[in-house]
Amino acid sequence: MADYFVGSREYFPGVGRIRYEGPESDNPLAFKYYDPGRMVGGKSMKNHLRFAVAYWHSFCADGRDTFGDPTHAQEWKSGGDPMTLAEQKLDAAFEFLTKLGAEFYCWHDRDLAPEGATPAESERNLMALAAKARERQAATGVKLLWGTANLFGDVRYMNGAATNPEFAVVAHAAAQVKAAIDATILLDGEGYTFWGGREGYMSLLNTDLKREKEHLARFLAMARDYARARGFKGVFYIEPKPMEPTKHQYDFDVETVAGFLRHYGLDADFRMNIEANHAELAGHDFHHELETAAAMGLFGSVDANRGDPRCGWDTDQFPIDWRDTTLAMYAVLRAGGFTTGGLNFDAHVRRNSVDPSDLFEAHIGGMDAFAVGLEAAWHLQAEGKLAAFVSDRYRSFDSGDGARFERGEMKLGELAALAAGYGTAGRTSGRQERLENLVNQALGTVTTVPIRDVPPIAHF
Ligand code: XUL
Ligand code: CO
């Protein structure tokens, strides 16, 4: 088999297989830190990180924004029969995936295949493209991390999908989800995601909040039952996001979704797909959302990107901050690592990054950033200083009255009576600065490069 996949024509000429060249490489189209086969604690980097490319950003979006026309107008995006264009897009996607060396991809139904005139035609379109994707997966070894249905783009969803006040729209959403689950199963998808883009409200004045949430839970349970009956063994993910496009989304953040899942008895099948930029919009750190999910046994997968702290919207930039990736991977390792989940780059190049190589360089940067994060996080875990500090911090609950309190063997009166015997308490340093320094030191062990002579830069 060829080193990478090229369909009927080559869509990214001039870019070959992206290889690891090490931190001293000057080649923008090479990995500096991501070395797929490198073993980190008995597992390869590739198997730790499970990188996926997002079909919608990388192969569908055309750079259009509220103020301007498409800037990423590749040939497979317009100007032909929609099914032919969809197959060209599939070829372009598999060429990109295999040149990059990404093991996984993720899609929405409408990314893969165009909507038809009726639900039945839409389903036929999707299954036809899924069959072609299955051939390309078999030829290349690329796998589907998760599939999802786009329940937010079409005009019919302007008042919501599963939470729409009109039952007819809920039925349309079901037709899409049913077909998207079938396509996910056909492609041996390891997961199926729900991102409730329009499952929320624009105004409480026209919204029955209680009923809408009940409808959402009912819909998710029906989708789960359908998929399980069809033999789907993968994980269902909910992707929390607080707002945008609605004013308020019901899947606001991890804590909110956890309460929702438990309230409606969905927590055995559903896990969190945590997106860095969504965490930021919810007023949280990415690290916070990961730790919160892990603490509740609900961690699943990651949409890897970053926001701009000065923008109040989802800028979906590629992740490049080593400290963020270190803290994220530390949380992932503590949660036991990825099983069915992975790192899906839900990110897009900027509107004015118009060269095909920009898309490669963006992914290379994100993959390198997570490789650094993995190594530093592994260092922190192996060194054990952070974990030892934390467990020591709670040692007064390990035995005696503290342990009895944890086991629920104490009443409030007894607990209160103990206070007098303790005198001064609580003046123990939290050592935050020392612990923050440990994170930087771990990064230093991974990223220190010998100083070398830098040749003068002729051009950029
Ligand atoms: C939107 C978002 C989606 C989901 C999939 O903010 O993150 O792309 O990841 O529907
Ligand atoms: Co996302």
Side-chain angles (χ1 to χ4, degrees):
M1 197 186 297
D3 197 14
Y4 48 81
F5 173 91
V6 174
S8 51
R9 53 158 296 189
E10 194 169 13
Y11 292 98
F12 301 95
V15 182
R17 181 80 161 83
I18 308 298
R19 302 192 185 282
Y20 171 74
E21 291 184 7
E24 292 181 78
S25 168
D26 275 333
N27 178 3
L29 288 170
F31 295 118
K32 315 300 178 301
Y33 297 99
Y34 177 57
D35 184 2
R38 182 178 156 81
M39 299 303 279
V40 179
K43 194 166 153 184
S44 68
M45 273 194 165
K46 184 177 171 198
N47 289 342
H48 270 291
L49 298 168
R50 293 168 58 87
F51 288 123
V53 173
Y55 216 87
W56 52 101
H57 282 309
S58 291
F59 312 115
C60 305
D62 58 13
R64 173 192 326 252
D65 70 13
T66 332
F67 304 96
D69 296 336
T71 53
H72 303 150
Q74 285 95 341
E75 54 273 46
W76 65 82
K77 290 181 182 165
S78 64
D81 157 61
M83 287 298 277
T84 310
L85 292 177
E87 188 166 357
Q88 287 173 3
K89 178 164 56 175
L90 189 67
D91 277 344
F94 273 78
E95 184 187 324
F96 182 83
L97 287 157
T98 50
K99 283 183 168 175
L100 183 67
E103 197 184 358
F104 294 97
Y105 69 126
C106 299
W107 45 248
H108 299 87
D109 52 352
R110 299 294 188 247
D111 306 335
L112 212 54
E115 181 172 7
T118 62
E121 191 185 327
S122 298
E123 185 173 339
R124 277 198 301 280
N125 288 353
L126 179 62
M127 295 315 285
L129 261 298
K132 291 182 191 299
R134 190 175 165 83
E135 287 166 12
R136 285 155 181 79
Q137 286 185 198
T140 60
V142 169
K143 292 174 273 189
L144 178 64
L145 190 67
W146 49 258
T148 186
N150 179 332
L151 302 180
F152 42 88
D154 193 273
V155 179
R156 69 168 67 90
Y157 297 123
M158 69 181 187
N159 289 307
T163 60
N164 199 290
E166 289 172 54
F167 179 62
V169 178
V170 181
H172 271 286
Q176 267 188 254
V177 167
K178 178 178 164 293
I181 287 173
D182 287 344
T184 301
I185 292 173
L186 182 70
L187 296 177
D188 301 317
E190 300 192 15
Y192 185 87
T193 293
F194 290 90
W195 169 61
R198 306 238 180 232
E199 314 294 26
Y201 60 79
M202 300 304 290
S203 167
L204 278 176
L205 298 178
N206 60 15
T207 302
D208 186 335
L209 236 160
K210 180 170 185 289
R211 236 171 152 179
E212 290 201 358
K213 284 200 239 185
E214 282 166 5
H215 293 174
L216 181 59
R218 173 81 57 217
F219 188 90
L220 293 173
M222 288 164 77
R224 174 203 54 198
D225 294 345
Y226 175 78
R228 293 292 183 231
R230 297 292 306 257
F232 179 64
K233 300 267 186 311
V235 174
F236 298 93
Y237 302 114
I238 303 274
E239 186 177 319
K241 185 175 182 182
M243 77 281 281
E244 196 205 16
T246 66
K247 169 187 159 66
H248 176 99
Q249 272 150 230
Y250 298 133
D251 302 333
F252 195 90
D253 63 0
V254 167
E255 197 80 51
T256 309
V257 172
F260 173 88
L261 292 177
R262 288 179 175 168
H263 183 74
Y264 291 103
L266 295 164
D267 49 321
D269 297 276
F270 286 78
R271 294 284 173 272
M272 305 286 170
N273 181 38
I274 297 165
E275 177 164 329
N277 204 160
H278 296 181
E280 180 166 340
L281 293 178
H284 302 309
D285 294 331
F286 184 27
H287 189 198
H288 165 94
E289 288 291 78
L290 293 165
E291 286 283 346
T292 304
M296 291 186 284
L298 291 171
F299 171 70
S301 200
V302 166
D303 269 11
N305 61 13
R306 76 176 202 278
D308 183 319
R310 278 160 292 280
C311 290
W313 68 91
D314 206 5
T315 59
D316 282 345
Q317 289 166 255
F318 278 82
I320 50 162
D321 186 319
W322 287 349
R323 212 169 161 279
D324 282 351
T325 58
T326 299
L327 295 175
M329 287 312 297
Y330 187 63
V332 171
L333 290 176
R334 275 163 38 77
F338 290 116
T339 49
T340 56
L343 289 163
N344 169 47
F345 288 110
D346 193 355
H348 59 91
V349 292
R350 297 304 87 188
R351 183 167 181 269
N352 54 353
S353 299
V354 293
D355 292 343
S357 60
D358 291 325
L359 190 60
F360 281 94
E361 290 181 41
H363 283 87
I364 289 167
M367 290 159 88
D368 273 339
F370 270 96
V372 168
L374 167 66
E375 291 258 20
W378 185 265
H379 181 94
L380 286 170
Q381 195 173 61
E383 179 188 62
K385 288 184 186 166
L386 285 179
F389 179 83
V390 174
S391 74
D392 186 59
R393 201 168 181 223
Y394 296 87
R395 69 183 179 280
S396 57
F397 292 92
D398 290 345
S399 60
D401 288 332
R404 286 181 53 233
F405 164 85
E406 274 198 352
R407 290 196 299 267
E409 292 170 5
M410 209 178 258
K411 297 235 164 57
L412 187 68
E414 190 189 345
L415 178 59
L418 291 172
Y422 283 128
T424 49
R427 292 174 203 182
T428 312
S429 174
R431 294 264 182 272
Q432 182 172 332
E433 294 77 8
R434 182 188 295 176
L435 303 180
E436 286 172 348
N437 292 348
L438 284 177
V439 174
N440 280 1
Q441 284 161 24
L443 266 166
T445 64
V446 177
T447 57
T448 307
V449 182
I451 294 171
R452 61 191 158 115
D453 289 335
V454 180
I457 297 175
H459 66 277
F460 192 69

